[in-house]
Short mmCIF file of all heavy atoms in Angstrom, two decimals:
data_model
loop_
_atom_site.label_atom_id
_atom_site.label_comp_id
_atom_site.label_asym_id
_atom_site.label_seq_id
_atom_site.Cartn_x
_atom_site.Cartn_y
_atom_site.Cartn_z
N LEU A 32 56.56 242.49 120.49
CA LEU A 32 57.00 241.82 119.15
C LEU A 32 58.40 242.45 118.77
O LEU A 32 58.63 242.67 117.61
CB LEU A 32 56.00 242.17 118.13
CG LEU A 32 54.68 241.53 118.27
CD1 LEU A 32 53.70 241.92 117.16
CD2 LEU A 32 54.84 239.93 118.41
N ASN A 33 59.19 242.56 119.91
CA ASN A 33 60.53 243.02 119.65
C ASN A 33 61.48 241.86 119.61
O ASN A 33 61.64 241.21 120.66
CB ASN A 33 60.78 244.05 120.82
CG ASN A 33 62.26 244.63 120.71
OD1 ASN A 33 62.94 244.32 119.68
ND2 ASN A 33 62.57 245.51 121.61
N ALA A 34 62.18 241.67 118.58
CA ALA A 34 63.13 240.54 118.42
C ALA A 34 64.57 241.05 118.43
O ALA A 34 65.48 240.35 118.02
CB ALA A 34 62.76 239.82 117.15
N ARG A 35 64.78 242.27 118.84
CA ARG A 35 66.14 242.89 118.77
C ARG A 35 67.22 242.06 119.44
O ARG A 35 68.34 241.97 118.81
CB ARG A 35 66.11 244.30 119.25
CG ARG A 35 67.05 245.24 118.62
CD ARG A 35 66.81 246.69 119.00
NE ARG A 35 65.45 247.19 118.81
CZ ARG A 35 64.82 247.99 119.64
NH1 ARG A 35 65.34 248.29 120.75
NH2 ARG A 35 63.62 248.38 119.28
N ASP A 36 67.06 241.47 120.48
CA ASP A 36 68.21 240.77 121.10
C ASP A 36 67.83 239.30 121.26
O ASP A 36 68.12 238.68 122.31
CB ASP A 36 68.53 241.43 122.55
CG ASP A 36 67.15 241.58 123.43
OD1 ASP A 36 66.16 241.25 122.92
OD2 ASP A 36 67.47 241.91 124.58
N MET A 37 67.23 238.92 120.16
CA MET A 37 66.77 237.44 120.16
C MET A 37 67.62 236.57 119.39
O MET A 37 67.96 236.79 118.27
CB MET A 37 65.43 237.40 119.73
CG MET A 37 64.46 236.68 120.56
SD MET A 37 62.66 236.86 119.89
CE MET A 37 61.96 237.97 121.20
N ARG A 38 68.06 235.43 119.79
CA ARG A 38 68.93 234.39 119.16
C ARG A 38 67.78 233.40 118.60
O ARG A 38 67.05 232.71 119.45
CB ARG A 38 69.96 233.78 119.84
CG ARG A 38 71.06 234.59 120.41
CD ARG A 38 71.97 233.90 121.48
NE ARG A 38 71.00 233.40 122.65
CZ ARG A 38 71.25 232.31 123.31
NH1 ARG A 38 72.38 231.60 122.97
NH2 ARG A 38 70.40 231.97 124.23
N VAL A 39 67.76 233.14 117.39
CA VAL A 39 66.67 232.42 116.79
C VAL A 39 67.39 231.14 115.85
O VAL A 39 68.24 231.51 115.10
CB VAL A 39 65.75 233.13 115.94
CG1 VAL A 39 64.62 232.29 115.33
CG2 VAL A 39 65.16 234.31 116.79
N SER A 40 66.90 230.05 116.07
CA SER A 40 67.17 228.86 115.17
C SER A 40 65.95 228.52 114.41
O SER A 40 64.92 228.23 114.96
CB SER A 40 67.73 227.73 116.03
OG SER A 40 68.84 227.90 116.74
N ILE A 41 66.20 228.50 113.11
CA ILE A 41 65.06 227.99 112.22
C ILE A 41 65.51 226.52 111.78
O ILE A 41 66.66 226.34 111.32
CB ILE A 41 65.04 228.86 110.86
CG1 ILE A 41 64.71 230.26 111.30
CG2 ILE A 41 64.02 228.34 109.93
CD1 ILE A 41 64.75 231.36 110.12
N VAL A 42 64.58 225.64 112.07
CA VAL A 42 64.79 224.15 111.62
C VAL A 42 63.97 223.94 110.53
O VAL A 42 62.75 223.97 110.72
CB VAL A 42 64.56 223.28 112.83
CG1 VAL A 42 64.78 221.85 112.36
CG2 VAL A 42 65.57 223.53 113.95
N ALA A 43 64.43 223.64 109.32
CA ALA A 43 63.59 223.43 108.20
C ALA A 43 63.84 222.15 107.38
O ALA A 43 64.98 221.76 107.21
CB ALA A 43 63.81 224.64 107.22
N GLY A 44 62.81 221.48 107.04
CA GLY A 44 62.80 220.21 106.29
C GLY A 44 63.12 220.62 104.80
O GLY A 44 62.58 221.62 104.25
N ARG A 45 63.88 219.65 104.20
CA ARG A 45 64.21 219.89 102.75
C ARG A 45 63.17 219.30 101.82
O ARG A 45 63.10 219.80 100.66
CB ARG A 45 65.58 219.34 102.52
CG ARG A 45 66.45 220.16 101.81
CD ARG A 45 67.73 219.58 101.56
NE ARG A 45 68.81 219.78 102.68
CZ ARG A 45 69.20 218.80 103.46
NH1 ARG A 45 68.83 217.60 103.23
NH2 ARG A 45 70.13 219.13 104.35
N PHE A 46 62.27 218.42 102.35
CA PHE A 46 61.27 217.85 101.45
C PHE A 46 60.30 218.81 101.15
O PHE A 46 59.92 219.76 101.80
CB PHE A 46 60.54 216.72 102.32
CG PHE A 46 60.03 215.59 101.67
CD1 PHE A 46 60.62 214.30 101.54
CD2 PHE A 46 58.75 215.78 101.01
CE1 PHE A 46 60.16 213.29 100.79
CE2 PHE A 46 58.24 214.66 100.25
CZ PHE A 46 58.84 213.48 100.18
N ASN A 47 59.83 218.80 99.79
CA ASN A 47 58.96 219.79 99.20
C ASN A 47 59.59 221.21 99.39
O ASN A 47 59.09 222.23 99.69
CB ASN A 47 57.60 219.89 99.96
CG ASN A 47 56.80 218.57 99.76
OD1 ASN A 47 56.73 218.12 98.66
ND2 ASN A 47 56.12 218.10 100.77
N GLU A 48 60.87 221.20 98.92
CA GLU A 48 61.81 222.30 99.12
C GLU A 48 61.17 223.66 98.57
O GLU A 48 61.36 224.67 99.27
CB GLU A 48 63.24 221.93 98.43
CG GLU A 48 64.29 222.88 99.03
CD GLU A 48 65.68 222.33 98.62
OE1 GLU A 48 65.66 221.43 97.82
OE2 GLU A 48 66.63 222.86 99.19
N PHE A 49 60.63 223.65 97.42
CA PHE A 49 60.20 224.93 96.88
C PHE A 49 59.19 225.63 97.75
O PHE A 49 59.07 226.70 97.75
CB PHE A 49 59.73 224.77 95.45
CG PHE A 49 58.29 224.25 95.20
CD1 PHE A 49 57.25 225.05 94.90
CD2 PHE A 49 57.99 222.96 95.43
CE1 PHE A 49 56.03 224.70 94.83
CE2 PHE A 49 56.70 222.50 95.24
CZ PHE A 49 55.73 223.26 94.85
N ILE A 50 58.49 224.83 98.50
CA ILE A 50 57.43 225.32 99.31
C ILE A 50 58.16 225.92 100.62
O ILE A 50 57.95 227.06 101.13
CB ILE A 50 56.42 224.33 99.95
CG1 ILE A 50 55.66 223.74 98.69
CG2 ILE A 50 55.50 224.86 101.04
CD1 ILE A 50 54.48 224.49 98.28
N VAL A 51 59.00 225.03 101.21
CA VAL A 51 59.80 225.38 102.43
C VAL A 51 60.50 226.62 102.38
O VAL A 51 60.77 227.34 103.19
CB VAL A 51 60.49 224.12 102.98
CG1 VAL A 51 61.25 224.49 104.32
CG2 VAL A 51 59.59 222.92 103.19
N GLU A 52 61.14 226.83 101.01
CA GLU A 52 62.07 227.88 100.88
C GLU A 52 61.11 229.22 101.02
O GLU A 52 61.76 230.21 101.67
CB GLU A 52 62.67 228.01 99.49
CG GLU A 52 63.81 226.93 99.28
CD GLU A 52 64.86 227.04 100.35
OE1 GLU A 52 65.40 228.17 100.66
OE2 GLU A 52 65.06 225.92 101.02
N SER A 53 59.94 229.35 100.63
CA SER A 53 59.13 230.40 100.90
C SER A 53 58.82 230.69 102.29
O SER A 53 58.66 231.81 102.81
CB SER A 53 57.79 230.36 100.08
OG SER A 53 58.08 230.20 98.66
N LEU A 54 58.63 229.54 102.98
CA LEU A 54 58.36 229.65 104.47
C LEU A 54 59.57 230.23 105.18
O LEU A 54 59.47 231.05 106.09
CB LEU A 54 57.98 228.31 105.14
CG LEU A 54 56.83 227.53 104.56
CD1 LEU A 54 56.67 226.21 105.18
CD2 LEU A 54 55.50 228.39 104.75
N ILE A 55 60.78 229.81 104.75
CA ILE A 55 62.10 230.20 105.33
C ILE A 55 62.16 231.81 105.11
O ILE A 55 62.37 232.50 105.96
CB ILE A 55 63.28 229.49 104.82
CG1 ILE A 55 63.25 228.11 105.15
CG2 ILE A 55 64.58 230.20 105.20
CD1 ILE A 55 64.27 227.21 104.45
N LYS A 56 61.89 232.13 103.82
CA LYS A 56 61.96 233.63 103.52
C LYS A 56 61.06 234.36 104.36
O LYS A 56 61.38 235.51 104.80
CB LYS A 56 61.67 233.76 102.07
CG LYS A 56 62.85 233.55 101.04
CD LYS A 56 62.58 234.09 99.77
CE LYS A 56 63.67 233.61 98.74
NZ LYS A 56 63.16 232.96 97.53
N GLY A 57 59.87 233.93 104.55
CA GLY A 57 58.79 234.57 105.24
C GLY A 57 59.11 234.74 106.88
O GLY A 57 59.07 235.85 107.34
N ALA A 58 59.84 233.71 107.31
CA ALA A 58 60.27 233.67 108.68
C ALA A 58 61.34 234.66 109.01
O ALA A 58 61.34 235.61 109.80
CB ALA A 58 60.72 232.34 109.13
N ILE A 59 62.28 234.75 107.92
CA ILE A 59 63.49 235.72 108.12
C ILE A 59 63.01 237.05 107.95
O ILE A 59 63.37 238.03 108.72
CB ILE A 59 64.60 235.33 107.15
CG1 ILE A 59 65.21 233.89 107.55
CG2 ILE A 59 65.64 236.27 106.95
CD1 ILE A 59 66.17 233.40 106.61
N HIS A 60 62.09 237.26 106.99
CA HIS A 60 61.58 238.65 106.69
C HIS A 60 60.95 239.17 108.06
O HIS A 60 61.12 240.25 108.50
CB HIS A 60 60.67 238.53 105.59
CG HIS A 60 59.97 239.96 105.30
ND1 HIS A 60 60.49 240.90 104.79
CD2 HIS A 60 58.68 240.25 105.63
CE1 HIS A 60 59.59 241.98 104.62
NE2 HIS A 60 58.56 241.52 105.15
N CYS A 61 60.17 238.39 108.69
CA CYS A 61 59.47 238.67 109.87
C CYS A 61 60.45 239.00 110.97
O CYS A 61 60.23 240.06 111.70
CB CYS A 61 58.49 237.60 110.25
SG CYS A 61 57.58 237.92 111.76
N LEU A 62 61.47 238.12 111.14
CA LEU A 62 62.45 238.42 112.21
C LEU A 62 63.12 239.69 111.99
O LEU A 62 63.39 240.41 112.95
CB LEU A 62 63.43 237.16 112.24
CG LEU A 62 62.95 235.83 112.63
CD1 LEU A 62 63.93 234.65 112.43
CD2 LEU A 62 62.50 235.89 114.22
N ARG A 63 63.65 239.98 110.75
CA ARG A 63 64.31 241.19 110.47
C ARG A 63 63.49 242.36 110.77
O ARG A 63 63.90 243.35 111.34
CB ARG A 63 64.80 241.07 109.04
CG ARG A 63 65.83 239.97 108.64
CD ARG A 63 67.13 240.22 109.12
NE ARG A 63 67.82 241.29 108.43
CZ ARG A 63 68.38 242.36 109.02
NH1 ARG A 63 68.44 242.53 110.25
NH2 ARG A 63 69.01 243.18 108.23
N GLN A 64 62.20 242.27 110.24
CA GLN A 64 61.17 243.35 110.42
C GLN A 64 61.04 243.77 111.89
O GLN A 64 60.76 244.98 112.24
CB GLN A 64 59.82 242.95 109.95
CG GLN A 64 59.38 243.71 108.65
CD GLN A 64 57.98 243.34 108.29
OE1 GLN A 64 57.37 242.38 108.87
NE2 GLN A 64 57.37 244.12 107.43
N HIS A 65 61.22 242.74 112.82
CA HIS A 65 61.01 242.97 114.17
C HIS A 65 62.29 243.18 114.95
O HIS A 65 62.38 243.13 116.21
CB HIS A 65 60.11 241.92 114.85
CG HIS A 65 58.74 242.00 114.39
ND1 HIS A 65 58.33 241.53 113.21
CD2 HIS A 65 57.62 242.68 114.71
CE1 HIS A 65 56.96 241.70 112.87
NE2 HIS A 65 56.58 242.46 113.91
N GLY A 66 63.32 243.38 114.17
CA GLY A 66 64.60 243.84 114.94
C GLY A 66 65.67 242.82 115.03
O GLY A 66 66.73 243.19 115.57
N ALA A 67 65.47 241.62 114.69
CA ALA A 67 66.58 240.54 114.76
C ALA A 67 67.68 240.99 113.82
O ALA A 67 67.43 241.18 112.71
CB ALA A 67 65.89 239.14 114.51
N THR A 68 68.86 240.57 114.23
CA THR A 68 70.06 240.85 113.37
C THR A 68 70.32 239.50 112.62
O THR A 68 70.06 238.49 113.18
CB THR A 68 71.25 241.26 114.15
OG1 THR A 68 71.54 240.28 115.20
CG2 THR A 68 71.05 242.70 114.65
N GLU A 69 70.87 239.56 111.39
CA GLU A 69 71.14 238.38 110.72
C GLU A 69 72.09 237.38 111.52
O GLU A 69 71.95 236.28 111.38
CB GLU A 69 71.75 238.73 109.29
CG GLU A 69 70.64 238.96 108.35
CD GLU A 69 71.18 239.17 106.93
OE1 GLU A 69 72.39 239.02 106.68
OE2 GLU A 69 70.31 239.64 106.08
N SER A 70 73.09 238.00 112.21
CA SER A 70 73.99 237.18 112.93
C SER A 70 73.46 236.38 114.13
O SER A 70 74.04 235.53 114.55
CB SER A 70 75.11 238.12 113.44
OG SER A 70 74.68 239.04 114.23
N ALA A 71 72.18 236.86 114.41
CA ALA A 71 71.46 236.14 115.51
C ALA A 71 70.54 234.99 115.02
O ALA A 71 69.85 234.51 115.87
CB ALA A 71 70.76 237.17 116.39
N ILE A 72 70.51 234.86 113.68
CA ILE A 72 69.67 233.92 113.08
C ILE A 72 70.41 232.88 112.47
O ILE A 72 71.49 233.04 111.78
CB ILE A 72 68.79 234.48 112.04
CG1 ILE A 72 67.98 235.71 112.61
CG2 ILE A 72 67.82 233.54 111.35
CD1 ILE A 72 67.24 236.51 111.48
N GLU A 73 70.10 231.53 112.89
CA GLU A 73 70.80 230.41 112.09
C GLU A 73 69.66 229.44 111.45
O GLU A 73 68.65 229.43 111.92
CB GLU A 73 71.73 229.58 112.96
CG GLU A 73 70.99 228.84 114.15
CD GLU A 73 71.79 228.09 115.04
OE1 GLU A 73 73.06 228.11 114.80
OE2 GLU A 73 71.32 227.33 115.92
N LEU A 74 70.09 229.00 110.39
CA LEU A 74 69.18 228.02 109.60
C LEU A 74 69.69 226.67 109.62
O LEU A 74 70.88 226.36 109.19
CB LEU A 74 69.07 228.56 108.13
CG LEU A 74 68.32 227.67 107.15
CD1 LEU A 74 66.82 227.52 107.66
CD2 LEU A 74 68.40 228.31 105.81
N ILE A 75 68.99 225.75 110.14
CA ILE A 75 69.40 224.30 110.27
C ILE A 75 68.41 223.43 109.45
O ILE A 75 67.16 223.54 109.52
CB ILE A 75 69.24 223.87 111.77
CG1 ILE A 75 70.16 224.61 112.68
CG2 ILE A 75 69.52 222.36 111.84
CD1 ILE A 75 69.83 224.51 114.23
N ARG A 76 69.16 222.78 108.44
CA ARG A 76 68.37 222.00 107.53
C ARG A 76 68.35 220.64 107.82
O ARG A 76 69.39 220.00 108.24
CB ARG A 76 68.86 222.25 106.12
CG ARG A 76 68.83 223.61 105.59
CD ARG A 76 68.93 223.77 104.12
NE ARG A 76 68.85 225.19 103.58
CZ ARG A 76 68.00 225.66 102.91
NH1 ARG A 76 66.72 225.18 102.82
NH2 ARG A 76 68.10 226.96 102.52
N VAL A 77 67.17 220.01 107.69
CA VAL A 77 67.04 218.46 107.91
C VAL A 77 66.29 217.83 106.72
O VAL A 77 65.76 218.56 105.90
CB VAL A 77 66.24 218.26 109.25
CG1 VAL A 77 66.99 218.73 110.51
CG2 VAL A 77 64.90 218.81 109.25
N PRO A 78 66.42 216.51 106.57
CA PRO A 78 65.78 215.83 105.41
C PRO A 78 64.33 216.23 105.25
O PRO A 78 63.89 216.54 104.20
CB PRO A 78 66.13 214.44 105.61
CG PRO A 78 67.31 214.33 106.52
CD PRO A 78 67.22 215.55 107.45
N GLY A 79 63.47 215.99 106.26
CA GLY A 79 62.10 216.24 106.12
C GLY A 79 61.48 216.56 107.41
O GLY A 79 62.16 216.55 108.47
N ALA A 80 60.14 216.63 107.43
CA ALA A 80 59.39 217.05 108.73
C ALA A 80 59.59 215.93 109.80
O ALA A 80 59.65 216.36 110.96
CB ALA A 80 57.92 217.13 108.36
N TYR A 81 59.76 214.71 109.48
CA TYR A 81 60.02 213.65 110.47
C TYR A 81 61.26 213.99 111.31
O TYR A 81 61.25 213.67 112.48
CB TYR A 81 60.10 212.28 109.81
CG TYR A 81 60.22 211.21 110.79
CD1 TYR A 81 59.15 210.76 111.39
CD2 TYR A 81 61.42 210.59 111.07
CE1 TYR A 81 59.18 209.59 112.36
CE2 TYR A 81 61.59 209.59 111.91
CZ TYR A 81 60.38 209.12 112.57
OH TYR A 81 60.47 207.97 113.48
N GLU A 82 62.29 214.61 110.69
CA GLU A 82 63.55 214.76 111.37
C GLU A 82 63.44 216.25 112.28
O GLU A 82 64.39 216.49 112.91
CB GLU A 82 64.69 214.78 110.36
CG GLU A 82 65.16 213.50 109.90
CD GLU A 82 64.37 212.91 108.85
OE1 GLU A 82 63.49 213.68 108.22
OE2 GLU A 82 64.25 211.64 108.75
N VAL A 83 62.53 216.93 111.90
CA VAL A 83 62.43 218.24 112.52
C VAL A 83 62.48 218.22 114.21
O VAL A 83 63.32 218.88 114.73
CB VAL A 83 61.28 219.06 112.09
CG1 VAL A 83 60.99 220.32 112.94
CG2 VAL A 83 61.37 219.51 110.60
#
Side-chain angles (χ1 to χ4, degrees):
L32 296 178
N33 182 1
R35 211 170 301 139
D36 52 355
M37 231 173 247
R38 295 166 306 148
V39 180
S40 297
I41 300 172
V42 176
R45 232 178 269 114
F46 209 98
N47 293 318
E48 195 163 17
F49 81 104
I50 302 276
V51 180
E52 287 310 308
S53 296
L54 300 176
I55 293 170
K56 278 195 190 128
I59 292 174
H60 175 72
C61 177
L62 291 169
R63 299 282 290 126
Q64 248 188 346
H65 291 86
T68 53
E69 273 184 7
S70 59
I72 304 170
E73 66 178 2
L74 174 60
I75 299 166
R76 296 201 188 253
V77 296
Y81 184 80
E82 284 76 25
V83 165

